[in-house]
Amino acid sequence: MSSGNLASFLLPAPTSTSSLTGAIATMAQFTATATIEAVALTTSTPNDTPTRVINYAKTVKWQSPATAFLFFVLSLIMTACVIRNLIYWAKTRHTKTVYVYLLLWAISRVVCFLMRGYILLDDNGTSYSLYQWTSIVLSLGFMPLAEAMSVVTIESSALVYGWPRKLAVRLDLLVKLLFITFGSCIAAFVMDFTLNQPFGSLVKDYTKDLVLREFGFNGLILLTIYTLVGSLFNLAHAPRHGHIPASLLPRFRLMMAITALQSVFILVKLIFTSYRNWNPYEARDEGLAYGLSFLPEYLFMLFYCSHQFLAVFDEIEAHERQEPEKAGALNASPSSFSSNHSDTIEEAAGPLRTGEDAAKVPAPDVALHSILTTSPGSVLESVKNSV
């Protein structure tokens, strides 16, 4: 081997700039392809160009199908409990209305967690329409709970303070109108933003959606604060006003304490949701969402799986219906007693008032009058004469 060949073997000729660029590009393409395959599915077009397919559910950090199906089963159990209480135990319009709202919540949660569990299986998260409707049901399902609390608080206030029925009905209608207004705003925001805006958009970029969201959420927060304050006032003032029967007062106050606690649960959920609304890239962990958004709803519902707590309202209304009946019976008894008593006296004195004996025996009223009007001295004098 010559010295020139040896030099060329040990020191190869410099690589051209274009060849170096091509090598770097090839390495970059390999790295990018590997990254895409790690985070998304890939398909091939007729030209064999890699195309990224987004898994929308996993992009927003929905991760555990097992947790979703667990909440689905819990929702089924609570649905069965609410239906049983509504059909077999609720006795009054008030308690039946509360159970109707709770049933709406239960059905919506059964549907949404079934959808959430399904979308996390296999590659179902790549369906954008399925992701959209799952998000919509998840966002709107909690609202019947807020209305149920309002019904309980208003009816309880009417019982505690002895409001006229018309006033209670008007206040209940006012709260329902506010609830419908706020709920409609949230529903309009969720539907428009989820269905009409591009995936990954920010609400702050769409003024109409931002206004609808803030008006609706802040309104529901105010209604929840009202139920918290109202139930605490009912708890404190019920013994003072005396409109609740003493035998049912401890259970009524327990129900008010439970309603206040339920209000705190819903406030935790609403505050957490509002924080995420304003900070879309923070607090996205799935465990945090289950703990601060969904778990408060199920803690709320635990108190309604049995009719024991709401039954106090049925018993109070039954007690109120019995009071007029007892008063009517007491009003009717003196007259019947006096008529029966006079009839008995007449029957006993009847045989003595026939013939000549009738003149010797005074009538009962006359005899009683003569005894009451005779002086003690006259009585003594009569006794001495007789002796």
Side-chain angles (χ1 to χ4, degrees):
M1 180 180 293
S2 63
S3 60
N5 292 336
L6 179 62
S8 62
F9 178 79
L10 297 175
L11 300 172
T15 304
S16 65
T17 304
S18 60
S19 299
L20 181 61
T21 304
I24 294 174
T26 301
M27 294 179 64
Q29 182 178 3
F30 175 81
T31 304
T33 303
T35 303
I36 290 174
E37 290 178 349
V39 298
L41 302 174
T42 57
T43 59
S44 298
T45 63
N47 296 327
D48 292 332
T49 303
T51 303
R52 182 174 181 177
V53 179
I54 300 175
N55 189 316
Y56 298 97
K58 293 183 178 178
T59 301
V60 297
K61 296 188 177 181
W62 296 355
Q63 297 171 343
S64 174
T67 306
F69 285 123
L70 172 63
F71 274 79
F72 164 72
V73 173
L74 290 176
S75 302
L76 277 178
I77 295 173
M78 290 183 172
T79 302
C81 292
V82 171
I83 292 175
R84 179 201 61 191
N85 293 341
L86 175 62
I87 295 176
Y88 296 106
W89 297 111
K91 304 300 182 184
T92 60
R93 180 191 59 83
H94 164 58
T95 52
K96 290 179 181 179
T97 301
V98 172
Y99 282 125
V100 167
Y101 286 121
L102 299 180
L103 183 60
L104 293 176
W105 171 89
I107 292 173
S108 70
R109 283 301 178 240
V110 167
V111 173
C112 79
F113 280 110
L114 179 62
M115 295 173 68
R116 180 158 176 158
Y118 174 77
I119 202 174
L120 292 173
L121 297 176
D122 300 326
D123 300 327
N124 297 329
T126 59
S127 172
Y128 188 47
S129 61
L130 178 60
Y131 164 75
Q132 288 176 310
W133 286 106
T134 304
S135 299
I136 289 172
V137 180
L138 279 171
S139 301
L140 300 179
F142 76 95
M143 290 193 291
L145 299 183
E147 174 60 12
M149 286 192 308
S150 299
V151 172
V152 171
T153 304
I154 290 175
E155 292 290 338
S156 300
S157 298
L159 293 173
V160 169
Y161 301 105
W163 290 345
R165 189 61 197 164
K166 287 185 178 180
L167 176 59
V169 170
R170 289 173 182 173
L171 288 176
D172 183 60
L173 180 61
L174 174 62
V175 172
K176 280 184 170 59
L177 290 175
L178 291 174
F179 173 78
I180 292 172
T181 302
F182 300 143
S184 298
C185 288
I186 295 177
F189 151 69
V190 171
M191 297 285 289
D192 182 68
F193 185 75
T194 305
L195 297 177
N196 299 329
Q197 311 307 344
F199 178 75
S201 300
L202 298 177
V203 180
K204 66 180 182 179
D205 297 330
Y206 302 92
T207 304
K208 180 184 72 174
D209 289 337
L210 181 62
V211 171
L212 288 173
R213 185 190 74 182
E214 292 308 303
F215 183 76
F217 266 100
N218 291 330
L220 285 182
I221 289 175
L222 289 176
L223 280 180
T224 307
I225 291 175
Y226 158 72
T227 61
L228 174 60
V229 175
S231 57
L232 290 177
F233 267 84
N234 292 340
L235 174 65
H237 292 174
R240 303 178 187 176
H241 291 271
H243 295 292
I244 306 298
S247 59
L248 299 175
L249 184 58
R251 291 176 55 199
F252 176 83
R253 300 187 72 197
L254 176 62
M255 187 68 240
M256 289 299 94
I258 290 172
T259 305
L261 181 61
Q262 290 171 326
S263 302
V264 173
F265 290 151
I266 299 303
L267 279 176
V268 169
K269 175 187 176 63
L270 291 174
I271 292 171
F272 174 74
T273 304
S274 297
Y275 178 82
R276 292 214 323 181
N277 287 341
W278 284 106
N279 303 275
Y281 299 115
E282 299 180 19
R284 307 307 302 183
D285 182 73
E286 186 179 47
L288 198 60
Y290 273 107
L292 295 179
S293 183
F294 299 126
L295 184 59
E297 298 180 23
Y298 287 81
L299 293 176
F300 179 107
M301 283 296 298
L302 280 178
F303 297 102
Y304 291 128
C305 289
S306 169
H307 187 59
Q308 177 182 359
F309 297 104
L310 275 183
V312 67
F313 295 106
D314 293 340
E315 295 176 22
I316 289 174
E317 293 192 28
H319 184 274
E320 290 178 346
R321 287 194 300 268
Q322 291 174 357
E323 286 301 316
E325 296 176 359
K326 291 181 180 179
L330 291 174
N331 291 334
S333 59
S335 59
S336 60
F337 173 77
S338 60
S339 60
N340 294 336
H341 184 64
S342 61
D343 292 342
T344 303
I345 294 175
E346 290 176 359
E347 291 176 359
L352 299 176
R353 295 180 183 177
T354 57
E356 297 178 356
D357 294 333
K360 300 178 181 178
V361 179
D365 294 340
V366 176
L368 179 62
H369 177 73
S370 61
I371 293 172
L372 294 176
T373 55
T374 303
S375 62
S378 300
V379 175
L380 292 174
E381 186 65 26
S382 301
V383 171
K384 291 180 181 178
N385 294 332
S386 63
V387 173

